[in-house]
Amino acid sequence: MLKKRELTDCYALFELMIHPDVFPFVRNKAETIEEYMFHVKNMIEKEEQGKLISRTILDEWENPIGCISLYEIEEQKGFLGTWLGKPYHGKGYNQRAKDAFFGELFYEKQIEAVFMKIRKTNMRSLKAAEKLPYAVKTDLDWAGSDTFHLYEIPKDLYTLYSMRTFEEENSRLKEA
């Protein structure tokens, strides 16, 4: 479902990224494949320095279909950025990618909180954020709220959600 960023995925991801329904919401925009490869190379270097964590989202056949990243990491907190290619919208990939990524962030990388800064005009992402039972809208505490909504995903809330989901699944399996 996720793998570390590699330059070999750039061609497929660039084609998905430039779609007009995706491009406005991508953090590291690129007009050319060369520019996109430059961004990815910089991201790989920043990850080695501990400044960000970035993964390529894969489909069932291990084809690159999008990206999920944690930017601006400070004091075990950072900002989430994620995008999927248009053909993969609405198929559950985003939620599965977030679950895998949050598991890595909270339990392997010791991240304590993830922030999601979502444009008020990005209705698709706002609807997705509102569905997350472990996300807390924190606009009141944030100066950039004229353009964006800010959500926080604290490790403890995500852990409680994960434990409850695990228990419910086990209970369902025992009943079957």
Side-chain angles (χ1 to χ4, degrees), residues 93-105:
Y93 290 107
N94 194 10
Q95 185 58 50
R96 289 193 301 267
K98 279 188 174 101
D99 285 341
F101 196 56
F102 292 160
E104 178 181 352
L105 295 177

Side-chain angles (χ1 to χ4, degrees), residues 50-86:
K51 295 180 180 175
L52 67 79
I53 300 167
S54 187
R55 301 292 177 261
T56 298
I57 302 170
L58 305 172
D59 67 8
E60 296 85 353
W61 301 277
E62 298 192 5
N63 296 312
I65 62 170
C67 299
I68 188 165
S69 303
L70 191 69
Y71 297 95
E72 302 172 34
I73 298 172
E74 288 184 26
E75 299 177 14
Q76 280 99 7
K77 298 175 182 176
F79 286 86
L80 184 72
T82 182
W83 64 266
L84 285 173
K86 177 69 174 169

Side-chain angles (χ1 to χ4, degrees), residues 13-14 20 24 30 32 44 46-47 50 81 92 103 113 119 122 135 139 142 144 148 164 171 174-175:
L13 289 172
F14 178 75
T32 66
I44 291 169
K46 285 182 180 177
E47 181 157 1
R119 283 188 192 284
N122 188 345
D139 286 354
W142 189 52
F148 298 93
R164 186 174 333 122
S171 186
K174 287 177 183 176
E175 291 172 5

Side-chain angles (χ1 to χ4, degrees), residues 14-151:
F14 178 75
E15 291 301 316
L16 294 169
M17 182 197 68
I18 61 175
H19 189 283
D21 291 348
V22 176
F23 192 78
F25 305 108
V26 173
R27 182 174 178 143
N28 292 308
K29 295 172 178 36
E31 301 290 333
T32 66
I33 184 64
E34 292 82 10
E35 186 180 357
Y36 185 68
M37 290 179 83
F38 179 77
H39 284 308
V40 172
K41 184 178 180 295
N42 282 339
M43 292 176 80
I44 291 169
E45 290 172 2
K46 285 182 180 177
E47 181 157 1
E48 291 170 357
Q49 299 166 3
K51 295 180 180 175
L52 67 79
I53 300 167
S54 187
R55 301 292 177 261
T56 298
I57 302 170
L58 305 172
D59 67 8
E60 296 85 353
W61 301 277
E62 298 192 5
N63 296 312
I65 62 170
C67 299
I68 188 165
S69 303
L70 191 69
Y71 297 95
E72 302 172 34
I73 298 172
E74 288 184 26
E75 299 177 14
Q76 280 99 7
K77 298 175 182 176
F79 286 86
L80 184 72
T82 182
W83 64 266
L84 285 173
K86 177 69 174 169
Y88 306 96
H89 288 182
K91 297 183 178 176
Y93 290 107
N94 194 10
Q95 185 58 50
R96 289 193 301 267
K98 279 188 174 101
D99 285 341
F101 196 56
F102 292 160
E104 178 181 352
L105 295 177
F106 292 136
Y107 308 124
E108 295 175 30
K109 305 291 186 182
Q110 307 312 314
I111 297 296
E112 292 297 321
V114 172
F115 295 99
M116 296 187 302
K117 181 174 82 171
I118 303 173
R119 283 188 192 284
K120 291 184 175 181
T121 58
N122 188 345
M123 298 312 293
R124 175 176 209 84
S125 291
L126 289 172
K127 284 181 182 180
E130 291 294 332
K131 290 180 187 177
L132 299 175
Y134 44 80
V136 180
K137 194 173 186 181
T138 60
D139 286 354
L140 298 176
D141 303 333
W142 189 52
S145 61
D146 291 344
T147 308
F148 298 93
H149 286 298
L150 184 68
Y151 293 82

